[in-house]
Short mmCIF file of all heavy atoms in Angstrom, two decimals:
data_model
loop_
_atom_site.label_atom_id
_atom_site.label_comp_id
_atom_site.label_asym_id
_atom_site.label_seq_id
_atom_site.Cartn_x
_atom_site.Cartn_y
_atom_site.Cartn_z
N ALA R 24 107.94 99.49 94.03
CA ALA R 24 106.52 99.21 94.10
C ALA R 24 105.95 99.59 95.44
O ALA R 24 104.79 100.03 95.53
CB ALA R 24 106.28 97.71 93.84
N PHE R 37 91.66 112.54 89.84
CA PHE R 37 90.84 112.44 88.66
C PHE R 37 89.43 112.01 89.11
O PHE R 37 89.32 111.03 89.85
CB PHE R 37 91.36 111.39 87.67
CG PHE R 37 92.69 111.76 87.09
CD1 PHE R 37 93.86 111.36 87.66
CD2 PHE R 37 92.75 112.54 85.92
CE1 PHE R 37 95.08 111.72 87.14
CE2 PHE R 37 93.96 112.88 85.40
CZ PHE R 37 95.13 112.47 85.99
N ARG R 47 86.47 106.38 87.35
CA ARG R 47 87.91 106.45 87.29
C ARG R 47 88.44 106.54 88.75
O ARG R 47 87.66 106.90 89.64
CB ARG R 47 88.39 107.67 86.51
CG ARG R 47 88.19 107.57 85.02
CD ARG R 47 88.80 108.74 84.32
NE ARG R 47 90.26 108.78 84.56
CZ ARG R 47 91.14 109.28 83.67
NH1 ARG R 47 90.70 109.74 82.53
NH2 ARG R 47 92.42 109.28 83.96
N ARG R 52 98.51 106.98 89.41
CA ARG R 52 99.95 107.07 89.16
C ARG R 52 100.25 106.24 87.90
O ARG R 52 99.81 105.09 87.81
CB ARG R 52 100.72 106.52 90.36
CG ARG R 52 102.22 106.44 90.16
CD ARG R 52 102.88 107.76 90.42
NE ARG R 52 104.33 107.62 90.38
CZ ARG R 52 105.19 108.64 90.48
NH1 ARG R 52 104.71 109.85 90.68
NH2 ARG R 52 106.48 108.45 90.42
N PRO R 70 106.45 85.68 72.55
CA PRO R 70 105.18 85.26 71.89
C PRO R 70 104.22 84.44 72.73
O PRO R 70 103.06 84.32 72.38
CB PRO R 70 105.67 84.48 70.69
CG PRO R 70 106.96 83.87 71.15
CD PRO R 70 107.60 84.92 72.06
N VAL R 78 99.83 84.72 86.07
CA VAL R 78 99.64 86.08 86.58
C VAL R 78 98.99 86.08 87.95
O VAL R 78 99.34 86.93 88.83
CB VAL R 78 98.77 86.89 85.60
CG1 VAL R 78 98.54 88.33 86.11
CG2 VAL R 78 99.44 86.94 84.21
N GLY R 88 100.95 93.27 106.22
CA GLY R 88 99.96 92.64 107.05
C GLY R 88 98.55 92.70 106.51
O GLY R 88 97.61 92.22 107.16
N ALA R 92 92.16 88.47 99.04
CA ALA R 92 91.91 87.17 98.49
C ALA R 92 91.34 87.29 97.08
O ALA R 92 90.52 88.14 96.85
CB ALA R 92 90.98 86.35 99.36
N GLN R 94 88.97 86.63 94.16
CA GLN R 94 87.56 86.25 94.09
C GLN R 94 87.18 85.64 92.74
O GLN R 94 86.12 85.03 92.63
CB GLN R 94 86.68 87.47 94.36
CG GLN R 94 86.87 88.06 95.73
CD GLN R 94 85.91 89.20 95.99
OE1 GLN R 94 85.63 90.02 95.13
NE2 GLN R 94 85.37 89.28 97.20
N GLU R 112 90.36 102.80 71.60
CA GLU R 112 91.21 102.89 70.43
C GLU R 112 92.63 102.47 70.74
O GLU R 112 93.30 101.84 69.93
CB GLU R 112 91.18 104.34 69.89
CG GLU R 112 92.00 104.53 68.64
CD GLU R 112 91.88 105.96 68.09
OE1 GLU R 112 91.05 106.71 68.61
OE2 GLU R 112 92.67 106.29 67.18
N VAL R 114 93.69 100.16 72.66
CA VAL R 114 93.94 98.73 72.78
C VAL R 114 93.86 98.00 71.45
O VAL R 114 93.91 96.78 71.42
CB VAL R 114 92.96 98.05 73.79
CG1 VAL R 114 93.17 98.54 75.18
CG2 VAL R 114 91.50 98.21 73.34
N ALA R 120 93.62 90.21 77.46
CA ALA R 120 93.63 90.94 78.74
C ALA R 120 93.20 89.94 79.81
O ALA R 120 92.22 89.24 79.67
CB ALA R 120 92.66 92.12 78.68
N ARG R 124 89.61 89.83 90.36
CA ARG R 124 89.01 90.63 91.45
C ARG R 124 89.58 90.14 92.76
O ARG R 124 89.78 88.94 92.98
CB ARG R 124 87.51 90.46 91.45
CG ARG R 124 86.80 91.03 90.24
CD ARG R 124 85.28 90.76 90.27
NE ARG R 124 84.97 89.38 89.99
CZ ARG R 124 84.49 88.50 90.88
NH1 ARG R 124 84.24 88.87 92.13
NH2 ARG R 124 84.24 87.24 90.54
N TYR R 125 89.83 91.09 93.66
CA TYR R 125 90.38 90.77 94.98
C TYR R 125 89.62 91.60 96.05
O TYR R 125 89.10 92.66 95.77
CB TYR R 125 91.85 91.13 95.05
CG TYR R 125 92.75 90.20 94.29
CD1 TYR R 125 92.88 90.32 92.92
CD2 TYR R 125 93.44 89.18 94.96
CE1 TYR R 125 93.71 89.43 92.21
CE2 TYR R 125 94.24 88.31 94.26
CZ TYR R 125 94.39 88.42 92.89
OH TYR R 125 95.20 87.54 92.21
N PRO R 157 93.25 113.54 80.42
CA PRO R 157 92.54 114.57 81.19
C PRO R 157 91.12 114.16 81.54
O PRO R 157 90.58 113.21 80.94
CB PRO R 157 92.58 115.77 80.27
CG PRO R 157 92.70 115.20 78.88
CD PRO R 157 93.52 113.97 79.05
N PHE R 163 89.48 104.64 80.93
CA PHE R 163 90.06 103.79 81.96
C PHE R 163 89.54 102.39 81.82
O PHE R 163 88.73 102.10 80.89
CB PHE R 163 89.77 104.34 83.37
CG PHE R 163 90.76 103.90 84.39
CD1 PHE R 163 92.09 104.25 84.27
CD2 PHE R 163 90.37 103.12 85.45
CE1 PHE R 163 93.04 103.82 85.19
CE2 PHE R 163 91.28 102.67 86.41
CZ PHE R 163 92.62 103.03 86.29
N PRO R 172 78.69 96.79 94.55
CA PRO R 172 78.01 98.06 94.20
C PRO R 172 78.50 99.26 94.98
O PRO R 172 78.44 100.39 94.51
CB PRO R 172 76.53 97.74 94.52
CG PRO R 172 76.43 96.26 94.53
CD PRO R 172 77.76 95.75 94.97
N PHE R 174 81.56 100.01 95.75
CA PHE R 174 82.95 100.36 95.53
C PHE R 174 83.11 101.88 95.38
O PHE R 174 82.45 102.52 94.53
CB PHE R 174 83.46 99.68 94.26
CG PHE R 174 84.88 100.04 93.89
CD1 PHE R 174 85.93 99.65 94.70
CD2 PHE R 174 85.14 100.73 92.72
CE1 PHE R 174 87.25 99.96 94.34
CE2 PHE R 174 86.45 101.06 92.36
CZ PHE R 174 87.51 100.66 93.17
N GLY R 175 83.97 102.46 96.20
CA GLY R 175 84.14 103.90 96.20
C GLY R 175 85.17 104.36 95.22
O GLY R 175 86.29 104.78 95.62
N PRO R 197 87.88 101.73 98.75
CA PRO R 197 87.05 101.33 99.87
C PRO R 197 85.66 100.92 99.37
O PRO R 197 85.24 101.29 98.30
CB PRO R 197 86.97 102.59 100.72
CG PRO R 197 87.11 103.70 99.73
CD PRO R 197 88.05 103.19 98.70
N ALA R 200 80.87 102.40 103.45
CA ALA R 200 81.22 103.50 104.34
C ALA R 200 82.67 103.47 104.80
O ALA R 200 83.07 104.28 105.65
CB ALA R 200 80.30 103.52 105.55
N THR R 207 97.25 102.11 101.20
CA THR R 207 98.68 101.95 100.86
C THR R 207 99.03 100.50 100.66
O THR R 207 99.52 100.10 99.58
CB THR R 207 99.57 102.57 101.94
OG1 THR R 207 99.28 103.97 102.07
CG2 THR R 207 101.03 102.41 101.56
N THR R 225 113.42 86.89 82.61
CA THR R 225 114.49 85.93 82.94
C THR R 225 114.34 84.62 82.23
O THR R 225 115.06 83.65 82.50
CB THR R 225 114.50 85.67 84.47
OG1 THR R 225 113.21 85.11 84.86
CG2 THR R 225 114.71 86.96 85.24
#
Side-chain angles (χ1 to χ4, degrees):
F37 294 92
R47 288 187 60 149
R52 174 81 175 177
V78 180
Q94 297 185 321
E112 182 177 350
V114 295
R124 295 176 288 111
Y125 286 81
F163 203 62
F174 177 67
T207 302
T225 60

